Amino acid sequence: MSSPNAVTAVAGTNIALVKYWGKRDVALNLPAAGSLSLTLDRLGTRTTVAFDDGERDRFVLDGAPAGDAATTRVSTFLDRVRASAQIARRALVTSENSVPTAAGLASSASGFAALALAATRAAGLELPAPELSALARIGSGSAARSIFGGFVEMARGVRPDGSDAIARPMPEGDGWEVRLVVAITAAGPKAIGSTAAMTHTARTSPYYEAWVAGVPADLTAARAAIAARDLAALGVIAERSALRMHAAAMAADPAIIYWNAATVAAIAAVRALRAGGTPAFVTIDAGPHVKALCRAADADAVAAALRAVPGVSETLIAAPGPGARVVEAP
Ligand code: DP6
């Protein structure tokens, strides 16, 4: 099935504990502030890239040809890889997301991390991880973090070319037995994509500047919490960061509201667990699903509590996972 020069890479998605929400440069996807995340062992992407003699790039996603917008995004990304490798050949890109339901959890983070690795290798390039992270960032800001496993910090960077807007692994968090319990609260794609939503927030939300200004202190505190393996400290920062990000988006004009009734009920359920002595903390991305950060030992109980929330259709427990890696190459 795959051509002899095909390279396959896999990457796990990541969930930010200090969120990225806003850009200092849209073309190069440079973030307005740093961020900090956990790469997961589930919800990843497996991508095969084969350069061939086709007339144009083709993108097959989860077994079917992708739409024009997604194909163009992939093709534009491949243009950068072709320019670095000084090749002109088009490619067949085949991607599969390991998402349990069609719940809108498919992730550009794992997608562009796997694509960056598979495409560069298939083009004959062997980029050092920091350069791979910068490349993945151009596809999607959060993808820069999925190049690495475990806890990862993404730097805002100061250079106009983005060469220092890259992620780095945080080995001080390795082996820490935390879990993210994902509660699915709706089916279908999200209301508004993160790229458009960030731009709209930056343009119209009176809270945007305050949001961006608060991130460096959260990063400093999160780094210390990870070094100390202090889940309560990290959880408080993560929950606060997510709620402030959403507050900034909700204050945009018109408002961006990703939540539904089950989102709010799931937040309440996690806070009730906490009040009852189980350390669990909420984070929410650009969608209605709720993720709870907790100890591995509490993950089953947290998942059970979230499954009992009306409107939660499914839960899954994810552990820290490895960074992007090549799994098949000539
Ligand atoms: C809420 O990385 O999807 O998940 O850079 O425009 O592709 P683009 O955005 P994307 O945004 C992620 C937003 C978030 C928070 C986070 O992952 O840090």
Side-chain angles (χ1 to χ4, degrees), residues 9-14 38-41 44-45 109-110 113-114 117 129 132 143-152 169 174 319-327:
V10 297
T13 195
N14 70 77
L38 183 63
T39 300
L40 304 184
D41 63 343
T45 305
S110 55
L117 182 54
L132 203 56
R145 301 185 307 237
S146 274
I147 295 300
F148 303 103
F151 288 95
V152 175
D174 286 356
R325 59 227 176 262
V326 170
V327 292

Side-chain angles (χ1 to χ4, degrees), residues 21-22 192-204 248-249 252 256 258 286:
W21 195 253
I192 167 171
S194 37
T195 308
M198 280 181 203
T199 310
H200 179 67
T201 304
R203 258 199 228 118
T204 68
I256 297 165
Y258 283 113

Side-chain angles (χ1 to χ4, degrees), residues 111-134:
F112 278 99
L115 180 63
L117 182 54
T120 50
R121 290 293 178 87
L125 299 171
E126 193 130 350
L127 296 188
E131 281 179 42
L132 203 56
S133 177

Side-chain angles (χ1 to χ4, degrees), residues 16 20 23 29 73 108 140-142 145 194-195 198 245 285-286:
Y20 149 55
K23 305 177 195 237
N29 234 358
R73 196 168 171 192
S108 61
S140 186
S142 53
R145 301 185 307 237
S194 37
T195 308
M198 280 181 203
M245 177 202 114
D285 292 301

Side-chain angles (χ1 to χ4, degrees), residues 12-305:
T13 195
N14 70 77
I15 300 298
L17 302 174
V18 177
K19 298 293 186 197
Y20 149 55
W21 195 253
K23 305 177 195 237
R24 65 183 169 91
D25 181 301
V26 173
L28 284 175
N29 234 358
L30 305 181
S35 56
L36 192 150
S37 60
L38 183 63
T39 300
L40 304 184
D41 63 343
R42 304 183 60 172
L43 304 174
T45 305
R46 178 188 181 94
T47 294
T48 302
V49 176
F51 288 95
D52 59 23
D53 297 323
E55 276 185 18
R56 59 182 74 82
D57 295 318
R58 285 94 56 216
F59 179 33
V60 177
L61 180 59
D62 292 329
D68 286 349
T71 304
T72 301
R73 196 168 171 192
V74 164
S75 193
T76 304
F77 186 82
L78 290 176
D79 286 343
R80 287 192 175 266
V81 176
R82 280 186 281 259
S84 306
Q86 301 195 310
I87 59 169
R89 301 177 89 197
R90 305 288 113 182
L92 172 63
V93 177
T94 313
S95 271
E96 253 139 55
N97 287 313
S98 57
V99 180
T101 63
L105 266 179
S107 153
S108 61
S110 55
F112 278 99
L115 180 63
L117 182 54
T120 50
R121 290 293 178 87
L125 299 171
E126 193 130 350
L127 296 188
E131 281 179 42
L132 203 56
S133 177
L135 175 67
R137 184 207 70 234
I138 293 173
S140 186
S142 53
R145 301 185 307 237
S146 274
I147 295 300
F148 303 103
F151 288 95
V152 175
E153 181 172 353
M154 172 77 193
R156 174 193 187 277
V158 292
R159 295 186 203 140
D161 70 354
S163 54
D164 57 350
I166 55 175
R168 66 161 184 101
M170 303 178 74
E172 57 272 37
D174 286 356
W176 191 11
E177 286 291 334
V178 298
R179 295 291 182 267
L180 271 166
V181 180
V182 181
I184 309 292
T185 62
K190 56 189 159 194
I192 167 171
S194 37
T195 308
M198 280 181 203
T199 310
H200 179 67
T201 304
R203 258 199 228 118
T204 68
S205 175
Y207 300 167
Y208 176 72
E209 271 177 41
W211 151 252
V212 171
V215 175
D218 281 349
L219 287 172
T220 304
R223 262 181 235 125
I226 291 168
R229 311 229 161 174
D230 184 340
L231 183 73
L234 183 61
V236 165
I237 297 158
E239 191 166 301
R240 187 175 72 202
S241 176
L243 295 177
R244 286 181 180 172
M245 177 202 114
H246 282 273
M250 284 182 203
D253 188 13
I256 297 165
I257 304 177
Y258 283 113
W259 301 2
N260 60 30
T263 313
V264 178
I267 295 171
V270 171
R271 291 168 82 103
L273 276 171
R274 206 151 79 219
T278 303
F281 304 86
V282 158
T283 185
I284 306 165
D285 292 301
H289 311 301
V290 173
K291 293 119 189 175
L293 176 71
C294 64
R295 299 188 294 223
D298 293 328
D300 287 334
V302 171

